[in-house]
Amino acid sequence: MSSRIDGDKSGQVPNRVRRILSGPRPERVPSLVGTAVGLVGLMDIAAGVFPRFNHSRVRAIAEVIPGSTRPMAAAVTICAGVLLLLLAHGLKRHKRRAWRAAVILLPVGAAAQFVYRHSIIGVVIAVALLALLLRHHAEFKALPDPRSRWKALANFVLMGAGSIGLGLVIVNAHPNKVVGHPGLYEQIAHVLYGLVGIEGPVAYSGDRADWIVGYSLGALGMLTALTTAYLAFRPEHPAAGLTEDDEAKLRELLAKHGGRDSLGHFALRRDKAVVFSPSGKAAVTYRVVSGVMLASGDPIGDVEAWPGAIERFMEEAKAHSWTPAVMGCSETGGEVWTRETGLDALELGDEAIVDVKDFSLSGRPMRNVRQMVKRIERNGYTTKVRRVADLTEEELTAVRGASEAWRGTDTERGFSMALGRVGDPGDGDCIIATAHRVEEGDTSPFGDLKAIQHFVPWGKDGMSLELMRRDRAADPGMNELLIVASLQAAPGLGIEKVSLNFAMFRSALARGEKIGAGPVLRAWRSLLVFLSRWFQIESLYKFNAKFQPRWEPRFVVFRNTRDLPRIGFAAMQAEGFVTLALPRLFAGRRRPKPVRGCAHQGNVSSVPNQKAEREVQAA
């Protein structure tokens, strides 16, 4: 179903990289300390919220845990629990700031316990944890993650929602003390009022319950406000991107070595950061998403200098405690990554590559494409294939506008195999293929423009498909038309090879439909076909196969198997399939349903409608 490249397990991993690998791998002490702190936080929250907790057997344990206080200090206990839960995550990720906070808070908690409760055991536990943190201080060296002011808004929304949920639990934690039978509306109103320090509509018999609920809600509201203010006014550390100097160096490397990898030009995405080898002859570009340091494609530059760039990449991952991963590297790249770092690699899918000299529309295998193209040409469509530098300013403006208007999703798709821009002054050697049709009464703001395909350079004699967009009102088959036109115009542009889409799990789909495939392979193919309803895995494979390409495997490189779900989620975020953003309350006009499943284009909303295509072919 997929092939695997294993790192060198025989102890031959270079010493310099072995030292780096020892950094990112999670150690026992930070993990255990983080887990212990998280459990303490949960115990503190339970002690502050539930009155019965203070009369249970668990209370005997909570009495000696740093941070727990007596029932009358429920507000402090709840806040301490929430902060400890947040702190636990940072400790597990080796964060230096989390370590500093723990070193400060533990002695403060121990002193408070001794003064207010005279808890000797609690002081001993606090001192033991503090000693453990001090002894293993070298394990907590990770620098902060990239951040922006949007973190403050996210914190306000999440903390606010959490405070409201926890507040409802607090309001209902004293059922025997509630006066009357307040409904859900009154309870929510009481929580909202309490978060801002105002007395709500719910009343309790006795001052003690009323005091505990009121101060607990007020403390949650204050905690939400303080953390939001801290995130809003702390120094901003935005995600790194390419500087002009970085881009210039990368372009020099691509000019010399760009023919090695069809994904090389995508390193010029400006939302990526870059690390160079000590010699400057190689580089690795990456983006940090949800704590994953995500590289894409092979390193750029001289193969002999790749190990130096990979070493810098791993050092950066260690410094921030990021999870290192590589998406879509070639077999050669996978071998170098696994040999130099001891990481593992799995086959992710295959890249469709067409050799121009071997391409022809003649023959039975190309009959469907040939018929589709001839039918569209009879309907009055014409094509143009040119370098971006050869387009006039008016044409370039129309292409940019159409590319944005025809995008199938609100979010720009693509990362590892997409450039993310069209017609940039520095990208004059890119190639634009356009389809045109003059229609009477056409009110389109883009004139006769009906479809676009954008290719980026692949060395001096190749190009790689970056995106496909088309007018939804245009006839089906625009993609076939433009791909054929691009392949036919390629010799005149000095192009000998064209990289098309990336087909995930192609080998599994191809082998699973053959006679004699085993039950496991057939079951795996059935699952992929089912997932294709949302991600169009199968349809993209079949679309690529129309052009009789050769298939080049692509791999994902990862540290260990348990990191794969996290890497997969981060990759989906980077590619734009998962967007962690606030929902829009008032959406504009509804866009067409997006078509997913191709990482080789910024957006693949123009993959042909399969039903319409079958109807055309049948006709």
Side-chain angles (χ1 to χ4, degrees), residues 34 71 145 149 188 214 315 319 343 376 427 444 449 485 491 501:
D145 291 342
R149 303 269 188 256
I188 294 176
E315 287 176 346
L343 301 179
I376 296 174
D427 298 327
S444 172
L449 187 61
N501 300 317

Side-chain angles (χ1 to χ4, degrees), residues 381-382 384 435-439 442 444 446-451:
Y381 287 90
T382 59
K384 297 179 182 179
H436 305 264
R437 183 186 184 186
V438 178
E439 299 178 356
D442 190 354
S444 172
F446 313 115
D448 62 351
L449 187 61
K450 299 302 178 182

Side-chain angles (χ1 to χ4, degrees), residues 309-559:
I310 291 173
E311 181 181 354
R312 290 285 180 86
F313 177 88
M314 298 301 292
E315 287 176 346
E316 192 75 7
K318 174 185 176 181
H320 294 269
S321 190
W322 292 329
T323 300
V326 185
M327 297 295 296
C329 65
S330 68
E331 188 168 2
T332 300
E335 290 175 351
V336 176
W337 274 99
T338 55
R339 184 184 69 240
E340 293 295 324
T341 65
L343 301 179
D344 290 337
L346 280 175
E347 184 177 332
L348 187 63
D350 293 271
E351 178 185 9
I353 298 176
V354 178
D355 293 314
V356 174
K357 64 179 181 180
D358 297 329
F359 177 77
S360 173
L361 283 177
S362 61
R364 184 175 180 81
M366 297 297 296
R367 185 182 65 174
N368 289 339
V369 176
R370 182 172 63 251
Q371 292 177 347
M372 176 72 74
V373 170
K374 289 183 177 180
R375 183 193 63 82
I376 296 174
E377 289 176 343
R378 286 196 300 268
N379 288 345
Y381 287 90
T382 59
T383 60
K384 297 179 182 179
V385 182
R386 295 164 289 173
R387 299 277 182 183
V388 170
D390 296 332
L391 271 69
T392 66
E393 189 61 33
E394 292 182 357
E395 290 175 323
L396 195 54
T397 300
V399 166
R400 287 171 177 165
S403 176
E404 178 68 21
W406 297 340
R407 190 171 66 200
T409 59
D410 293 330
T411 304
E412 185 75 32
R413 290 273 172 84
F415 163 70
S416 58
M417 302 175 189
L419 189 60
R421 60 181 184 265
V422 176
D424 191 84
D427 298 327
D429 52 351
C430 292
I431 295 174
I432 291 281
T434 54
H436 305 264
R437 183 186 184 186
V438 178
E439 299 178 356
E440 294 184 5
D442 190 354
T443 59
S444 172
F446 313 115
D448 62 351
L449 187 61
K450 299 302 178 182
I452 303 167
Q453 286 185 3
H454 186 231
F455 297 82
V456 300
W458 173 12
K460 298 179 180 180
D461 60 353
M463 62 182 184
S464 185
L465 178 59
E466 195 260 333
L467 66 80
M468 300 187 293
R469 305 270 171 85
R470 70 179 179 90
D471 187 344
R472 293 289 174 171
D475 292 350
M478 290 291 101
N479 292 320
E480 287 89 340
L481 175 68
L482 288 182
I483 288 177
V484 169
S486 300
L487 290 170
Q488 291 175 340
L493 297 170
I495 302 299
E496 298 179 2
K497 53 188 177 180
V498 178
S499 171
L500 300 180
N501 300 317
F502 172 74
M504 292 186 64
F505 310 115
R506 182 207 66 86
S507 59
L509 290 169
R511 296 203 304 264
E513 63 184 356
K514 290 183 178 179
I515 298 176
V520 175
L521 190 57
R522 288 184 180 275
W524 175 227
R525 181 184 181 278
S526 298
L527 176 61
L528 293 176
V529 172
F530 175 76
L531 294 176
S532 295
R533 299 180 181 181
W534 296 275
F535 296 97
Q536 293 210 358
I537 300 172
E538 183 187 29
S539 59
L540 269 172
Y541 154 57
K542 290 185 176 180
F543 176 75
N544 293 334
K546 291 180 180 181
F547 303 96
Q548 303 298 308
R550 56 183 171 91
W551 300 97
E552 294 290 338
R554 290 282 173 175
F555 297 84
V556 54
V557 178
F558 58 97
R559 186 169 56 192

